[in-house]
Amino acid sequence: MTGRLDRLLRPRSLAFVGGAAAEWSIDACRAFGFAGEMWGVNPRRILSDLPTVASVAELPEGIDAAFVGVDHDATIDTVRQLSEAGVGVAVCHASGFAEVGAAGKVRQVELVEAAGAMAVLGPNCFGLLSAPTGAALWPGVHGLVRRPRGVALLSQSGNIAVNLTMSRRGLDVAWVISLGNQADVGISEAFEAVVVDEATTGVGLCIEGLNDVERFVEAAAVARRRRLPVVALKVGASPSSSAIAVTHTASLVGDNAAYEALFRKVGIHRVHAVDELADTLATLSAVGPLRGNRMVSLSCSGGEAALVADRSHGRNLSFPQFAPDHAARVASALDGRVAITNPLDYHTYIWGDPDRLSRCFESVLGADATGGGSGEAPFDAAMLVLDFPAEGLDRSSWWPTMQAFATACANGGTPGVVAASLAENLPDEVRSQAAGWGLAACGDIDNALSALEAAAAWGRHLDRTEPGAGLLVVKAREAPLGTSVLPEHEAKPRLAAAGIEVPMGRLVEPQQAVAAADEIGYPVVVKTVGAAHKSDAGGVVVGLADAASVAAAAERDAVGGRAVMVESCITDVVAELLVSVRSSPPVGMMLTVSAGGTLTEVLDDTASLLLPAADDTLEALRSLRLWPVLAGYRGRPAGAVDAVVNTVRLLETLVRDDHRLIEIEINPLLVTPHTAVAADALMVVAND
């Protein structure tokens, strides 16, 4: 490793500056078994029986990391002294910086300036726990144990970091880093540091916002090459820029969608709760990436089987029914007394009988269960639902079930997950034994399904991304001098010049509308000029088939004598889409495709990708509820989906070539059986 956080992850010498908080950190190091050199800094007293000096200047040379436990004003001066003394990293515990307002922001700038080249963790953070070395620059209790390798947990929230250390979810943790305000070291740099350490087996992220997206993407690429699972809990949402308030996209997706798109692009699975983060990361670490999403669920209760079926609805998981020969094998193992379905209720009459349980599970998961001697396991993963009795009750008849499941999974080469219907019914000893038997353990059915979905998605990401390939995300664009909105009659010529199809049209005075319609050819559309949402104001009249109706529409739409647009009317429309590209700082330029037209917000049918996105556009379209219509619903003509994908490619090129573009929205993009036409459009451009 050659990063500037190496001395933080594996320190050999530590210093502690301050009073009570510094002593808490010293005690934490001793309890954790840190064997390196430790020094205290306090001008008035000895800290926890350590060799204590009165000032930073008296510390020996080469201190790797220091815990700074003084108030915010003293922190700045202390950090300056630590930097001058050549300390590698300072962990700043004090609050009162950018999180408290303007005065705190000034202090935070001064802190970074005082640090110079020295790395600063925080301020307003708990700090670092290093299980490989026993270092605990951490002013409080934690739940980690010493281990040479494991996952790294990186959190901007100190409390969530503390809570994760106390988790009893079977998660082997090597490092916990609480980042606080990220005045200097951000989550991207910490991510970069841990993924290159050979002792890291996975990464869990608790993110409020990113400070360096390029570095984050590069770290994700390293994780992909090392096949490390990465799971992210994204909390909070940045306010949307006022520059995009003019478009429909602003009401459809917020900046949060950009993070979702980023995680999906780089192969990071997003979760929405702390327990889901722990269970998913533990499961991915245990089962690895799955080759597909074919699942089987086993339980001795019809209610549990139905619950699994219900809770898997809407997830990208498949519970295929057993093929006839496979079902016959399972039925034979169950004496023909059970309906063979997936999820499978194997009933309680084999409960506690190791031989019958083994025959049942082997018949479900055996490599020959598909018939034909293919040797391929019939499912990509298996889940056993099993709730154990509470502490003090007899658990002896539960163990044969889990052992039979573990053996069948091992023999059939099928990754296995054991889950309870209630998290409290999966005791610590069960989680520990599950790991020993090669199983993952999840607290409840929902978390197990989420983890299996993540493992399948991880497998797909690895399959479609070359190990050595870099990941590219087009940078978000800022507009320091503000933005301007280009209305439809100015935006469409730019689209046409980029190769995107637009209707034939003319911008004319009201009295010239009929002549324009005659030239274009009927039917035509007459539109008001200038309004952002013309349909909402009744400023669009479609399907005009004669001169009289055109004249009437032009007269009505020409408010105050303004010009009107006359365009050819696109017929044989299969579907209306919204397609937009907009800047979503700090993440990148985001493509959104959705059901379009006047009901865009009502239908709320969207998919978002980060540019470059053209290679993934078809998959995004297929994820829409509108997809069956595009594909040809009930014998109706299919839309020209290839033309939609080409429109996205052309939009990407336009955005790439014109760096003033902040947002482009086409709504609707009219999709016919033969083409895709931008019927309306707006552009938001940065002012010069």
Side-chain angles (χ1 to χ4, degrees):
M1 298 188 298
T2 58
R4 65 175 188 151
L5 298 186
D6 298 353
R7 294 169 72 184
L8 177 70
L9 296 180
R10 295 181 179 275
R12 292 169 296 181
S13 56
L14 301 173
F16 305 85
V17 185
E23 288 186 314
W24 295 336
S25 186
I26 294 166
D27 293 343
C29 282
R30 284 175 171 155
F32 210 16
F34 181 71
E37 185 179 311
M38 295 195 292
W39 289 80
V41 180
N42 188 297
R44 290 177 295 277
R45 62 186 177 87
I46 293 174
L47 297 180
S48 294
D49 297 325
L50 278 188
T52 302
V53 295
S55 68
V56 169
E58 299 175 59
L59 287 171
E61 293 183 2
I63 297 293
D64 287 321
F67 177 84
V68 181
V70 296
D71 67 36
H72 52 68
D73 289 323
T75 292
I76 296 171
D77 189 49
T78 300
V79 163
R80 181 178 294 106
Q81 295 174 41
L82 290 169
S83 178
E84 292 170 352
V87 173
V89 184
V91 174
C92 298
H93 178 55
S95 58
F97 289 89
E99 80 280 0
V100 300
K105 290 179 181 177
V106 171
R107 279 193 291 269
Q108 189 155 304
V109 170
E110 293 173 351
L111 176 69
V112 175
E113 291 174 348
M118 182 183 68
V120 171
L121 198 65
N124 187 33
C125 74
F126 265 88
L128 164 96
L129 295 171
S130 172
T133 67
L137 297 171
W138 189 270
V141 298
H142 64 85
L144 297 195
V145 297
R146 290 291 299 276
R147 54 172 44 90
R149 61 199 313 268
V151 302
L153 300 176
L154 315 178
S155 175
Q156 290 174 242
S157 165
N159 243 26
I160 289 179
V162 173
N163 296 342
L164 283 168
T165 73
M166 306 297 178
S167 168
R168 297 190 299 275
R169 300 269 170 168
L171 193 60
D172 293 340
V173 181
W175 286 284
V176 177
I177 302 178
S178 165
L179 293 145
N181 291 8
Q182 300 187 102
D184 177 33
V185 176
I187 200 163
S188 298
E189 184 176 1
F191 186 20
E192 177 185 68
V194 297
V195 294
V196 298
D197 193 296
E198 290 300 319
T200 301
T201 60
V203 183
L205 305 167
C206 179
I207 298 173
E208 296 171 18
L210 293 178
N211 60 345
D212 189 337
V213 174
E214 283 187 284
R215 200 170 202 169
F216 185 87
V217 170
E218 290 170 1
V222 174
R224 184 257 174 272
R225 289 194 290 272
R226 290 194 58 207
R227 298 174 70 87
L228 298 179
V230 185
V231 181
L233 172 64
K234 169 69 176 70
V235 297
S238 301
S240 296
S241 167
S242 59
I244 63 171
V246 70
T247 65
H248 285 281
T249 311
S251 60
L252 286 173
V253 293
D255 294 339
N256 202 41
Y259 280 96
E260 185 83 41
L262 173 64
F263 297 149
R264 188 167 54 247
K265 189 177 188 72
V266 301
I268 293 174
H269 186 76
R270 183 181 184 180
V271 296
H272 300 277
V274 177
D275 65 328
E276 188 185 4
L277 171 66
D279 271 343
T280 301
L281 188 54
T283 300
L284 294 183
S285 299
V287 306
L290 298 181
R291 63 177 181 268
N293 68 347
R294 302 168 303 159
M295 306 293 146
V296 64
S297 172
L298 303 165
S299 63
C300 64
S301 162
E304 290 170 345
L307 185 60
V308 171
D310 289 346
R311 301 308 296 171
S312 63
H313 182 71
R315 295 187 181 277
N316 192 5
L317 293 174
S318 170
F319 285 82
Q321 293 307 308
F322 293 86
D325 59 337
H326 190 180
R329 293 170 185 265
V330 179
S332 176
L334 291 169
D335 301 332
R337 297 169 61 179
V338 173
I340 307 305
T341 61
N342 186 17
L344 176 65
D345 166 19
Y346 57 83
H347 289 223
T348 57
Y349 81 91
I350 63 171
W351 184 258
D353 186 328
D355 291 337
R356 283 184 162 183
L357 287 165
S358 294
R359 286 198 301 272
C360 171
F361 296 159
E362 291 283 356
S363 67
V364 170
L365 300 179
D368 63 345
T370 52
S374 68
E376 179 187 355
F379 302 105
D380 299 312
M383 179 170 70
L384 174 68
V385 180
L386 190 64
D387 287 61
F388 276 74
E391 186 71 34
L393 299 177
D394 183 10
R395 296 171 175 169
S396 59
S397 63
W398 272 256
W399 290 109
T401 301
M402 196 167 92
Q403 185 166 21
F405 176 70
T407 301
C409 287
N411 291 342
T414 304
V417 177
V418 59
S421 59
L422 293 170
E424 58 266 31
N425 294 346
L426 204 66
D428 291 349
E429 65 171 324
V430 174
R431 292 179 180 275
S432 177
Q433 186 60 68
W437 285 342
L439 302 174
C442 280
D444 57 36
I445 290 170
D446 278 342
N447 281 3
L449 293 170
S450 175
L452 289 168
E453 186 178 34
W458 184 22
R460 289 193 301 274
H461 177 75
L462 295 178
D463 285 343
R464 68 172 181 256
T465 309
E466 291 297 324
L471 293 167
L472 176 65
V473 173
V474 178
K475 289 183 180 180
R477 294 173 183 174
E478 305 286 354
L481 301 179
T483 61
S484 298
V485 178
L486 301 186
E488 178 182 6
H489 67 277
E490 295 182 33
K492 277 186 173 176
R494 293 193 178 199
L495 294 179
I500 296 169
E501 187 170 349
V502 301
M504 182 184 297
R506 301 285 185 273
L507 179 67
V508 298
E509 298 300 320
Q511 61 271 22
Q512 300 171 321
V514 172
D518 290 341
E519 181 183 351
I520 292 168
Y522 296 94
V524 297
V525 178
V526 174
K527 301 179 179 180
T528 301
V529 171
H533 303 300
K534 293 179 286 293
S535 296
D536 297 347
V540 179
V541 184
V542 301
L544 301 176
D546 54 60
S549 58
V550 169
E555 189 65 31
R556 187 188 73 181
D557 288 345
V559 180
R562 288 188 308 203
V564 297
M565 291 185 67
V566 181
E567 292 184 334
S568 59
C569 184
I570 308 302
T571 58
D572 300 326
V573 174
V574 172
E576 297 184 10
L577 293 175
L578 177 149
V579 179
S580 77
V581 175
R582 70 183 181 100
S583 180
S584 186
V587 178
M589 298 296 289
M590 182 171 64
L591 167 76
T592 297
V593 293
S594 78
T598 58
L599 297 178
T600 293
E601 288 91 352
V602 174
L603 295 176
D604 191 22
D605 184 18
T606 70
S608 295
L609 303 166
L610 288 185
L611 297 190
D615 292 342
D616 299 317
T617 302
L618 183 57
E619 182 180 349
L621 290 170
R622 285 175 172 158
S623 73
L624 299 177
R625 295 194 301 275
L626 186 68
W627 172 252
V629 177
L630 282 169
Y633 184 65
R634 291 193 172 183
R636 293 182 176 87
V641 174
D642 56 341
V644 178
V645 173
N646 188 54
T647 298
V648 170
R649 291 186 184 279
L650 294 170
L651 275 177
E652 283 193 4
T653 301
L654 178 58
V655 170
R656 182 197 65 200
D657 293 344
D658 188 346
H659 290 273
R660 290 183 62 216
L661 284 172
I662 303 298
E663 181 170 10
I664 304 174
E665 180 178 278
I666 300 173
N667 184 32
L669 180 72
L670 299 179
V671 186
T672 76
H674 309 291
T675 190
V677 184
D680 198 352
L682 288 173
M683 290 184 180
V684 179
V685 298
N687 294 334
D688 292 330

